[in-house]
Amino acid sequence: MPPLISVKGLCKSFGGLTAVVDVSFEIQAGEIIGLIGPNGAGKTTLFNCISGFTRPTSGRVEFAGRDITGWLPEEVCHLGLARTFQVVRTFPDMSVLDNVLIGAFARTVSRAEAERGAREVLELTGLASKAGLLGRNITIADKKRLELARALATHPRLLMLDEAMAGLNPAERQAAVELVRSIQAQGVTILMVEHVMQVIMPISKRVMVLNYGRKIAEGAPEIVAHDENVIAAYLGAKYRQQAPSLPGPAA
Amino acid sequence: MTRDFLPVSRQLSKLSWPSLMIGLVALVLLLLPFVFSNPVLLDLMVLIFVYAGLAQAWNILGGYAGQISLGNAVFFGVGAYTSTALIRDAQIVPWIGGLAGSFLAVILALIIGYPVFRLRGHYFAIATLAIGEIAVAVASDINLIGGASGLTIPFVRDASGRPTDSWLWLQFNQDRLPYYFIAFILMVFCVLVTILLDRTKPGFYLRAIKDDQDAARSLGVHVLRYKQLAFALSAALTALIGTFYAQYILFIDPPSTMGLNLSVLISLIAILGGVGTIWGPIIGAAVLIPLGEVTRAEFGGAGAIELMIYGGLVVLISVVQPSGLMGLGQRIRHRRAPLTEPEARAAAASSSQEKPHATLD
């Protein structure tokens, strides 16, 4: 089966600074892929290049069989690729329901139909009881969930989550992990940037590691976690001692 | 259902009191000219309707989509000049001229919007301001439309050569009452368009664009397309009112129909009343227009006092009540009604973590 998304030789430089260098990868429909790396490794820039917010300097992005390199974010969204933002971008003066409606309107002009879709997503994400609150008035954990709910309401085939769990406490994080799993269970492919190893390791089938804009490792979480380069660049020596406690390579 | 058997008082209470108020105000406005036939009052009311309609049209772009236009008078001028030129040079009735003006205004809006909507924030306002000034300069130089000295609309005359009233030619100089109702209907039309927008997909998209353009794009909102839609709607309605205004005054010239003063007044009315709301522009016009007329009558025609008051109001609104009179009303109502429990909790949570809105990249 052809991959849902395939990125080939993607480069992005801002003036003299090269943020993404020759990154290639493929994701099959239904996978959950983790993207990790230290701050400034180019994860968000990579997201922006794929989702149309910045035009890559060179390279190709193919999604669902189409070359979407240089497409606008709104066009990419209509093709079924949705993203969240690392720094939440809730519509502050709209209610939680209206925030999600904006996403739902991507698939219909009917308000009734959009509202039905939006309420379903609110139910799924556990925001139903807050539907009437203004975007500016909810907690950061709810804003993160709303960000995800909105993206989900566009009915994406690929959902790209940019640190959807940063800043959440362990209980909230656990709820978010469950949520991501249930979204995947509905057939949505997920590419997630995350810093919290306890989240990304058990949830992803495959992990990619970026460092200084380059992909330095890719593979099953437990293999990547033992990779010397990854430990040196990102996880740190402390992680080496913890690593054995992770579940061993899957049989 | 049981609803039919509710006592009348209960049924009435099911209607929200704002909609009752609105119905009542509309009724009063319709009956007003039959009770008070004072021409000064009727003239004032017509002006209020005209400016309320203009502010409402501005509100679609400025209030809902958050794109502050300081050049909307250009479309007013296009409406006024198109119908007037068609009457003078081609004997085409203003009913058709008004539609033609509206159509031209839409085309112009789309042409202006295409490059200008790539600008954000203040730069959009500055660009529209410049376009307004250019329009005045250009119109003042085209002799075909009267240049700087403007155009008059000739009186419609009956067989004996006396001026007469005509629905066909939209002139009511003997009995001016029809002007009142046409202006009222135009304003109501602008309100209806806004209500429709407010409740449907485009209205939601415009609000999303105003709140966070990049987030909107990530959710599939074609930002340029919807800004263009808002601009075109705004221009079309503004031009229609321009045609009416030309028929009402029977004289137009570039500064009075396209100038910066008019553009600023339009936006000020909407901002004072409350941007992005359905009733704000109406309330703004009902307050500002009489204020302007009274000060002009009291302190002379130069309008300096009027401008000082407007300036003071702008400062006052931005410091004290950025959401306008509508926001003030909401604040009073909220103070009266205690917050519901989740609202209170949310408010408490937000006050502890209010932070500046971040931007992409």
Side-chain angles (χ1 to χ4, degrees), chain A residues 108-144:
Chain A
T108 175
V109 287
S110 149
R111 174 148 173 215
E113 204 177 303
E115 198 160 326
R116 220 175 304 129
R119 292 214 182 262
E120 255 168 49
V121 171
L122 286 176
E123 209 61 59
L124 178 76
T125 51
L127 284 167
S129 65
K130 295 170 176 129
L133 296 180
L134 278 189
R136 66 167 77 255
N137 287 343
I138 58 177
T139 63
I140 188 74
D142 283 342
K143 280 180 184 166
K144 292 251 170 191

Side-chain angles (χ1 to χ4, degrees), chain A residues 28-233:
Chain A
Q28 298 292 332
E31 284 187 296
I32 297 188
I33 305 296
L35 177 61
I36 60 175
N39 288 328
K43 303 182 296 288
T44 296
T45 304
L46 181 62
F47 262 39
N48 285 343
C49 286
I50 295 172
S51 60
F53 279 92
T54 39
R55 184 181 263 279
T57 311
S58 63
R60 270 165 81 87
V61 181
E62 279 171 26
F63 178 72
R66 314 266 295 263
D67 182 353
I68 61 162
T69 320
W71 281 31
L72 298 174
E74 51 267 42
E75 296 167 342
V76 169
C77 172
H78 282 278
L79 201 60
L81 195 158
R83 68 166 295 176
T84 66
F85 293 94
Q86 183 181 356
V87 182
V88 288
R89 306 183 69 116
T90 315
F91 300 120
D93 293 327
M94 301 176 85
S95 72
V96 167
L97 174 65
D98 288 357
N99 263 274
V100 181
L101 263 182
I102 298 298
F105 271 130
R107 296 282 170 244
T108 175
V109 287
S110 149
R111 174 148 173 215
E113 204 177 303
E115 198 160 326
R116 220 175 304 129
R119 292 214 182 262
E120 255 168 49
V121 171
L122 286 176
E123 209 61 59
L124 178 76
T125 51
L127 284 167
S129 65
K130 295 170 176 129
L133 296 180
L134 278 189
R136 66 167 77 255
N137 287 343
I138 58 177
T139 63
I140 188 74
D142 283 342
K143 280 180 184 166
K144 292 251 170 191
R145 258 196 290 183
L146 178 54
E147 185 94 3
L148 201 155
R150 258 180 359 184
L152 202 55
T154 67
H155 283 297
R157 299 169 67 183
L158 174 67
L159 183 58
M160 305 204 304
L161 304 175
D162 197 350
E163 299 200 25
M165 300 179 199
L168 302 188
N169 68 36
E172 291 165 339
R173 204 189 295 149
Q174 194 50 43
V177 167
E178 293 309 317
L179 181 57
V180 169
R181 281 218 172 94
S182 65
I183 291 168
Q184 188 223 9
Q186 298 190 347
V188 180
T189 309
I190 292 167
L191 171 62
M192 56 193 296
V193 167
E194 206 54 68
H195 273 306
V196 189
M197 283 306 106
Q198 295 95 311
V199 167
I200 205 128
M201 290 302 181
I203 206 176
S204 358
K205 186 181 142 206
R206 204 151 44 95
V207 174
M208 292 186 283
V209 188
L210 281 192
N211 191 34
Y212 291 113
R214 288 175 195 279
K215 189 170 83 176
I216 59 167
E218 177 176 0
E222 50 284 355
I223 295 172
V224 168
H226 288 90
D227 186 302
E228 282 303 320
N229 284 332
V230 177
I231 292 171

